[in-house]
Structure formats: C-alpha cells, structure tokens
Amino acid sequence: MGKQWMKPFGAVLVASSLLVGGTAWVAPGNYAYAAEVQGVQQNVINVVGKGEIQVKPDIAYLSIGVNSTAETAASAQKANAAKIQKVTNLLKNTWKISADDIQTSQFYVQPNYTYSEKDGQKIKGYTAHHTLTVTYRDMDKIGELLDAASQAGANNIENVRFTVENPEKYESEVIAKAVANADVKAGAIAKAVKRQLGTVLSVSQPDANVPVFYVGEAMSSAKSDSNAGTQIEAGQVKVSTVLNITYEMK
C-alpha cells in the first residue's frame, strides 16, 4: 500500500494526501505545493465587505417624449418634428436648460397594423416617436417642468431617474463602511473556528475603474387634486462599494 501512495499523481496528490497521526502525508515532489495550499486554507480569511450610504440626489435625468400618428410615415414624422421642436424650445428658452443637457435618446417611425380574418394583417397609419433625455439639477422644480413639457406637446413622459452627479465625494465614507463590514465578518469567522484575526494582507475592488457606484430611482409622481401640478419626490439614492479583503488568521 505504501508503494501505491508513493506513485506520482502530480497536483492530484494534494487532494489525495494520507492523514497520519493528524498530519497530512503527501507524495515526494509535492511538498511545496501541498504546503502552499494548506497555508492558504489554514492561515487566511477572505471576505467581501460592503459599504453603503443613502444620500439626497442632486441631479435627475428626465425622459420626455412625443408621439404622433398619421396615415403616412412622412406625415407622422413631420407632425412629430413640429411637436418636439416646440418642447425643445421650451426647455432651452423658457427653462434655460443648456443644449448640452438635452439629448435625443430614442427616435423611430413605425407602421401600425390591424388584423381581420377576411383581410389578414394590414398597415393602418404610422406612429413617429421622439424621446429626449434631459439632465436637470433643480430637484424642487421637476414636477413643474414636466407639467410645462406636457402643455407644450410632450405626451410620453416615461420616467425620472435620480442620482448624484459626483459620487466620488462619498467614496471615503462608503469605503470605511465596507472595511468595517469586512472586519466584522472576518472576526466572526475567526472566532467560530477558535482562531484570532491578524492583519490585513490585501484589499481589492471588483471594478477598479468605478470604485463607487450609484443606483437611480424610478419616477414617483402624485397629484393631490385634479388641478394640482405633478409632485415629484426625489427621496434618497444609494451610494455603495464592495471590497475583497484578505486577513491573516493566527
């Protein structure tokens, strides 16, 4: 049987070691690799630390669109162009929104179909659709702006996405929270296996290019009565980061 365990199996022998007197026995030639694997398994703790804070948004992205239907594609497009131009003029001239903050995010002209058993599928007119994404920074006037856009001809206001323009300014705080979260996890693991937590050996972020990320919220609108304007509640958005931390375990 001794000869059988002495037969070289390469790296597989690490998983096929023989426990003798409480010590793992590995075939000759594989001691270094086995010791390395055992060292990683026995002497470090790898955890993921998560840091998160809730902050008040300071920027919003509004989706403001116009739809027009006509018998021909050209007619639908022409009618829609006039409407979107009116909305754009309102945004630029009345609301003083920079052209850099107004961007076409969607545009198409598509046929509309009807179906009957007698005639099958037939085209019945065309719909033109044009959506603008508007960057806006006055959180208290979003509802008023959307109402004005609707009165100017916008008939497809899809949503408002709230976020923070410079999440980097919250980076130190969320990183500190992520480290604290990792400390708690690693400490609990060490205690559970009756060991002590040592120093931090390495720290990394899953995405080095975007260390802090944020999530936008969907539009929330309500009217207190039929004559009231649209009320938009910005609420709070989440700023968070994730850290992979390796600790020494004593």
Side-chain angles (χ1 to χ4, degrees):
M1 181 173 180
K3 291 183 179 180
Q4 181 180 0
W5 284 102
M6 290 293 290
K7 184 177 180 180
F9 285 92
V12 178
L13 278 174
V14 176
S16 302
S17 56
L18 179 64
L19 192 64
V20 179
T23 302
W25 182 89
V26 184
N30 293 281
Y31 288 108
Y33 180 68
E36 179 183 355
V37 171
Q38 289 179 349
V40 170
Q41 292 175 339
Q42 295 178 3
N43 297 320
V44 302
I45 300 174
N46 298 302
V47 298
V48 175
K50 299 179 180 180
E52 176 181 312
I53 61 174
Q54 299 288 332
V55 300
K56 188 175 181 178
D58 55 19
I59 192 169
Y61 299 97
L62 321 178
S63 293
I64 300 175
V66 174
N67 291 332
S68 297
T69 302
E71 291 185 1
T72 66
S75 298
Q77 184 172 343
K78 183 177 180 180
N80 216 55
K83 291 179 183 178
I84 202 68
Q85 186 61 54
K86 186 177 180 181
V87 172
T88 302
N89 290 339
L90 170 79
L91 298 173
K92 291 180 178 179
N93 301 328
T94 304
W95 287 82
K96 307 303 180 183
I97 298 175
S98 169
D100 293 338
D101 290 331
I102 303 173
Q103 181 182 39
T104 294
S105 57
Q106 193 175 48
F107 174 82
Y108 61 81
V109 179
Q110 66 181 20
N112 301 318
Y113 294 95
T114 60
Y115 178 82
S116 67
E117 293 184 1
K118 179 181 179 181
D119 300 323
Q121 181 172 279
K122 285 189 173 184
I123 294 177
K124 186 179 181 180
Y126 292 80
T127 296
H129 177 78
H130 194 153
T131 299
L132 301 175
T133 296
V134 180
T135 303
Y136 196 61
R137 295 173 177 81
D138 192 339
M139 301 294 99
D140 295 330
K141 293 185 177 180
I142 292 177
E144 186 180 346
L145 172 57
L146 295 179
D147 287 340
S150 295
Q151 293 171 8
N155 56 9
N156 189 19
I157 298 175
E158 298 176 358
N159 62 73
V160 177
R161 182 169 64 91
F162 296 103
T163 186
V164 288
E165 191 165 13
N166 297 305
E168 296 81 8
K169 65 184 180 182
Y170 302 104
E171 184 172 1
S172 296
E173 186 176 354
V174 294
I175 286 177
K177 285 184 173 289
V179 172
N181 178 249
D183 286 345
V184 172
K185 291 180 179 179
I189 294 173
K191 182 178 180 180
V193 296
K194 297 179 174 57
R195 300 284 292 273
Q196 292 183 340
L197 192 65
T199 60
V200 173
L201 300 177
S202 67
V203 181
S204 65
Q205 290 174 307
D207 189 344
N209 295 321
V210 188
V212 180
F213 60 93
Y214 50 92
V215 178
E217 299 291 339
M219 179 178 69
S220 174
S221 64
K223 294 185 178 182
S224 56
D225 59 68
S226 59
N227 296 320
T230 301
Q231 303 297 315
I232 301 297
E233 302 298 334
Q236 291 186 319
V237 295
K238 179 177 67 177
V239 182
S240 61
T241 192
V242 174
L243 299 176
N244 295 322
I245 304 182
T246 300
Y247 296 82
E248 177 190 11
M249 185 168 60
K250 299 179 181 179

